[in-house]
Amino acid sequence: QKEVEQNSGPLSVPEGAIASLNCTYSDRGSQSFFWYRQYSGKSPELIMFIYSNGDKEDGRFTAQLNKASQYVSLLIRDSQPSDSATYLCAVILNFGNEKLTFGTGTRLTIIP
Amino acid sequence: DVKVTQSSRYLVKRTGEKVFLECVQDMDHENMFWYRQDPGLGLRLIYFSYDVKMKEKGDIPEGYSVSREKKERFSLILESASTNQTSMYLCASSHETGSGNTIYFGEGSWLTVV
């Protein structure tokens, strides 16, 4: 089992709709969870991080963490064509250890 | 703004050549990382460093070595490049906060080994 798993997509969502991206992780001891956005040919950029169970909102983005079920999700409200990118889920196992383990990413396409 | 600079953006090297990929950060970060990114495999950690002259193996260190002689600079070395090392290489740096939310990536170096 991979440490961090994502559906590779592509995921197509109409403009203005909610895009839902999911990620599961295998190590129950994982402490910190991140969502990165990566445009084609560019480096990843951090868009959300979450440490505690529940929801965390930042603008159009909401990260959701459920440690009991070992999944983390990212919701993008009012999807825009500029949101079309690959979204990478990443996990840090131990707080204090900055080593990120990444999923393979989900390619999201917003259809105008 | 944090800046992580990878000096070589696009390189073409021959099999067997020694290759140096340089990374410099300007925010006095303690931690530095080298990842490679391949289609379908995501980002995989090659090596990381928590301090000057300190290095630890990541998930795929075989065929690579690193050097960190100064805090701001972290070099990835391919001692004898092979075609399966053709990839995009990403350098990253972060503060030693333990939170992970200060990790910043460079722009990437595309290496082709022929």
Side-chain angles (χ1 to χ4, degrees), chain A residues 7-72:
Chain A
N7 188 322
S8 62
L11 175 65
S12 296
V13 173
E15 184 175 357
I18 296 175
S20 178
L21 303 160
N22 298 310
C23 172
T24 58
Y25 58 95
S26 60
D27 195 316
R28 192 169 286 278
S30 299
Q31 296 288 337
S32 309
F33 308 87
F34 306 85
W35 283 100
Y36 283 81
R37 178 176 62 200
Q38 187 176 26
Y39 293 115
S40 181
K42 300 293 186 181
S43 59
E45 56 177 323
L46 180 66
I47 53 173
M48 290 286 289
F49 59 91
I50 187 168
Y51 306 138
S52 304
N53 274 328
D55 294 0
K56 179 181 179 182
E57 189 173 315
D58 183 2
R60 296 187 297 113
F61 299 98
T62 299
Q64 299 175 317
L65 175 61
N66 183 324
K67 287 189 176 181
S69 300
Q70 294 176 240
Y71 82 78
V72 57

Side-chain angles (χ1 to χ4, degrees), chain A residues 12-16 81 84 109-112:
Chain A
S12 296
V13 173
E15 184 175 357
S84 296
T109 300
I110 306 301
I111 304 167

Side-chain angles (χ1 to χ4, degrees), chain B:
Chain B
D1 277 353
V2 174
K3 194 157 187 181
V4 180
T5 303
Q6 295 181 231
S7 55
S8 301
R9 296 296 311 279
Y10 302 95
L11 306 93
V12 180
K13 298 292 182 180
R14 295 191 181 277
T15 300
E17 276 192 80
K18 191 169 186 176
V19 181
F20 292 88
L21 299 179
E22 305 286 343
C23 175
V24 176
Q25 48 93 4
D26 65 358
M27 284 299 291
D28 201 34
H29 283 170
E30 294 82 11
N31 305 318
M32 296 189 76
F33 308 84
W34 275 106
Y35 288 86
R36 65 177 281 177
Q37 187 173 26
D38 302 286
L41 296 176
L43 275 82
R44 294 177 292 167
L45 182 64
I46 305 171
Y47 267 97
F48 58 106
S49 169
Y50 290 130
D51 202 350
V52 175
K53 297 191 185 296
M54 303 295 288
K55 61 184 180 184
E56 291 195 33
K57 293 179 179 180
D59 300 317
I60 52 164
E62 297 79 18
Y64 303 94
S65 62
V66 291
S67 172
R68 193 163 181 205
E69 296 296 318
K70 294 184 178 182
K71 191 175 186 180
E72 67 270 19
R73 188 179 296 268
F74 192 35
S75 302
L76 180 69
I77 304 156
L78 288 67
E79 295 288 344
S80 178
S82 63
T83 54
N84 64 11
Q85 292 178 310
T86 292
S87 186
M88 199 263 274
Y89 291 87
L90 282 162
C91 176
S93 73
S94 73
H95 272 307
E96 196 178 42
T97 60
S99 61
N101 65 346
T102 64
I103 297 174
Y104 295 91
F105 285 89
E107 290 296 308
S109 297
W110 276 260
L111 172 66
T112 301
V113 182
V114 298

